[in-house]
Amino acid sequence: MYATTLAKTAYGNPAQPTRTLRGTEYELFARITHSLKQSSAGGPTQFAALATALYENRRLWTTLAADVASPENGLPSELRARLFYLNEFTQIHSRKVLAGAASADVLVEINTAIMRGLRHEDGAAA
């Protein structure tokens, strides 16, 4: 049964467009940002969902920071430094949100700005 399933899905949907790395990054930011918005709007009853969304967001930013810290990263050094700083801010602010001392709104704004940048770069590259 497993082999049959793999055979049926091996080539995927040929009508579905191939995603670029930047498009994949955009989709990941979009999914996590949506979760942050939904869970933070839900109030105290959505705390578990908010904690999960914050965890996913922090994991995303940790991965991004590790990538921009790599000497092989091709981004300009100033942009890499700014992204690394945003990771630090995101980590600290997330702890404040979990403690109930801050809102997740600024995290949503940061992610949305990154998504705009990723979308703009897509348009510039095309």
Side-chain angles (χ1 to χ4, degrees):
M1 182 161 150
Y2 182 70
T4 305
T5 304
L6 281 177
K8 287 179 182 177
T9 60
Y11 293 100
N13 181 357
Q16 191 172 13
T18 304
R19 284 199 178 127
T20 63
L21 181 56
R22 185 165 276 124
T24 302
E25 289 172 343
Y26 179 92
E27 290 299 323
L28 187 55
F29 268 101
R31 182 180 55 77
I32 290 171
T33 303
H34 178 74
S35 293
L36 279 172
K37 281 183 191 177
Q38 292 269 155
S39 59
S40 64
T45 61
Q46 291 294 310
F47 184 77
L50 178 60
T52 299
L54 288 167
Y55 169 76
E56 291 298 327
N57 194 53
R58 291 173 77 181
R59 199 168 82 166
L60 171 63
W61 277 99
T62 299
T63 302
L64 186 63
D67 184 49
V68 298
S70 170
E72 291 85 33
N73 187 289
L75 292 175
S77 59
E78 185 177 322
L79 177 58
R80 291 170 50 196
R82 288 180 183 180
L83 289 169
F84 197 86
Y85 167 76
L86 284 174
N87 167 61
E88 291 176 348
F89 176 84
T90 298
Q91 301 300 330
I92 292 166
H93 193 78
S94 295
R95 286 192 289 275
K96 291 177 183 178
V97 174
L98 285 171
S103 161
D105 292 347
V106 71
L107 299 174
V108 170
E109 289 175 26
I110 290 169
N111 285 6
T112 302
I114 296 295
M115 289 164 51
R116 276 194 302 269
L118 288 168
R119 171 114 343 133
H120 175 69
E121 290 295 325
D122 269 344

